[in-house]
Amino acid sequence: MRAFYLSDQSQPEQSHFVWAYRVSIENQGQRTVQLLKRSWQITDGMGRTQQVHGPGVVGEQPVLEPGESFEYTSGTPLSTPSGFMRGFYHMLDTVSGEAFDIAIPLFSLDSPHQTGAVH
């Protein structure tokens, strides 16, 4: 997981700050799995939190055989110059039909416009 501040899409004078993040998902298990849904918790520098839920990622619901990986880039705007995100991928074992979640660890959204270290 890597996050990038997008200065060309941000407008700090209007409290509009934008980040992209790149995620690589690898199936390290022995069964074929599919990413069905995602759930994000996005918190801005003021502590305001929004929940984002939806099918798949970037319009896809990738199926991963053992050892396969899938990489994507997405983004999020905030009204503060920093924040953080965490979440879950809701997965399905395509053989057994068992649903399970994969936790996405907390990561920082930092910009050169923040005052002091927040995270």
Side-chain angles (χ1 to χ4, degrees):
M1 171 78 60
R2 289 187 39 193
F4 309 89
Y5 176 68
L6 301 176
S7 59
D8 62 326
Q9 294 184 30
S10 297
Q11 298 174 321
E13 65 284 351
Q14 296 179 4
S15 297
H16 183 74
F17 304 88
V18 181
W19 288 265
Y21 52 90
R22 181 171 296 136
V23 180
S24 181
I25 304 164
E26 182 180 353
N27 181 356
Q28 297 178 348
Q30 301 300 313
R31 301 262 183 136
T32 301
V33 297
Q34 183 174 18
L35 191 161
L36 296 179
K37 298 184 287 185
R38 71 189 183 290
S39 294
W40 287 109
Q41 181 182 37
I42 306 167
T43 304
D44 72 13
M46 301 291 288
R48 296 174 294 217
T49 299
Q50 62 177 317
Q51 304 288 333
V52 177
H53 306 282
V57 289
V58 294
E60 297 188 47
Q61 294 179 311
V63 174
L64 301 170
E65 300 286 336
E68 286 187 333
S69 62
F70 177 81
E71 185 172 285
Y72 74 95
T73 301
S74 190
T76 191
L78 290 179
S79 61
T80 61
S82 68
F84 53 89
M85 293 177 63
R86 73 173 114 215
F88 289 93
Y89 292 130
H90 307 285
M91 309 292 290
L92 178 71
D93 179 321
T94 61
V95 174
S96 71
E98 178 186 353
F100 61 99
D101 291 341
I102 300 292
I104 306 160
L106 183 75
F107 63 96
S108 291
L109 303 170
D110 300 312
S111 80
H113 302 282
Q114 67 196 38
T115 55
V118 178
H119 311 108

